[in-house]
Amino acid sequence: ARDPGRAAWPRPRFLYDIVNNCESGLDVDKLDYFQRDVSSAGVDGNNCKFFELISRSRVMRCTDGLERICFPPELYKSAFRAFQTRYHLHEEVYTHRTVKAYEYMIRDLIVGVHESFRFRGSRLADVVHDPAKYVALNDSLLDMIGCHLADP
């Protein structure tokens, strides 16, 4: 279901759905990370090649008058494989005990440096309120924390 607050956005609604499709769940961001994660983790991705699904999608006006991203009926198997791939990744990778252990260790590390570590002059808890700083966060944060902890 769509968020009622999105109706006020002054651009065509389908533009947002390209990156975060809350109706079908099939968007370029999700399909991209499915393909990346299947390749990186070496799990069965059900022939995870979604280029055709993306390249043949079209924006169409539906019977309710809204424009939506639509897929040709003959690609229903590709769409189904995308959801199968999502299920397999969650079962075999995202919730794997080793992955969860690393997530907890990283969380503990971040909580442990909460008071002493600064990212661009701010505590990490405050960075989420500063968009310019927040968008600069990436995995190098762990290296920065490592250097911070190595400095006496």
Side-chain angles (χ1 to χ4, degrees):
R2 285 192 176 272
D3 176 1
R6 286 182 40 194
W9 198 43
R11 294 177 182 87
R13 294 165 57 150
F14 67 84
L15 289 176
Y16 184 78
D17 291 338
I18 292 170
V19 178
N20 183 13
N21 193 327
C22 62
E23 287 191 349
S24 74
L26 296 175
D27 53 62
V28 293
D29 182 51
K30 189 169 290 171
L31 295 175
D32 177 60
Y33 81 71
F34 285 170
Q35 209 154 330
R36 178 202 64 212
D37 293 351
V38 162
S39 175
S40 298
V43 298
D44 175 23
N46 293 308
N47 297 319
C48 183
K49 294 179 180 154
F50 302 119
F51 176 76
E52 186 177 28
L53 194 60
I54 294 170
S55 66
R56 293 191 51 204
S57 65
R58 298 290 179 263
V59 174
M60 299 177 75
R61 186 169 307 279
C62 297
T63 56
D64 61 2
L66 294 177
E67 292 179 318
R68 291 189 174 87
I69 297 174
C70 300
F71 305 95
E74 63 270 16
L75 292 183
Y76 78 92
K77 287 182 181 177
S78 294
F80 184 72
R81 278 195 291 275
F83 292 109
Q84 283 181 317
T85 299
R86 178 180 184 269
Y87 174 79
H88 287 297
L89 285 168
H90 277 276
E91 284 290 308
E92 298 174 27
V93 180
Y94 305 146
T95 59
H96 190 278
R97 61 189 168 108
T98 304
V99 172
K100 298 310 285 181
Y102 275 109
E103 286 178 11
Y104 290 131
M105 286 190 286
I106 291 169
R107 182 204 56 201
D108 291 347
L109 176 67
I110 291 172
V111 168
V113 299
H114 173 69
E115 290 301 325
S116 62
F117 179 75
R118 296 289 181 269
F119 179 79
R120 296 188 177 184
S122 298
R123 295 179 320 149
L124 286 175
D126 298 327
V127 169
V128 298
H129 303 293
D130 184 335
K133 291 178 184 176
Y134 184 74
V135 298
L137 284 174
N138 58 37
D139 290 344
S140 68
L141 173 69
L142 298 177
D143 293 328
M144 288 185 264
I145 292 173
C147 291
H148 168 75
L149 293 173
D151 241 0

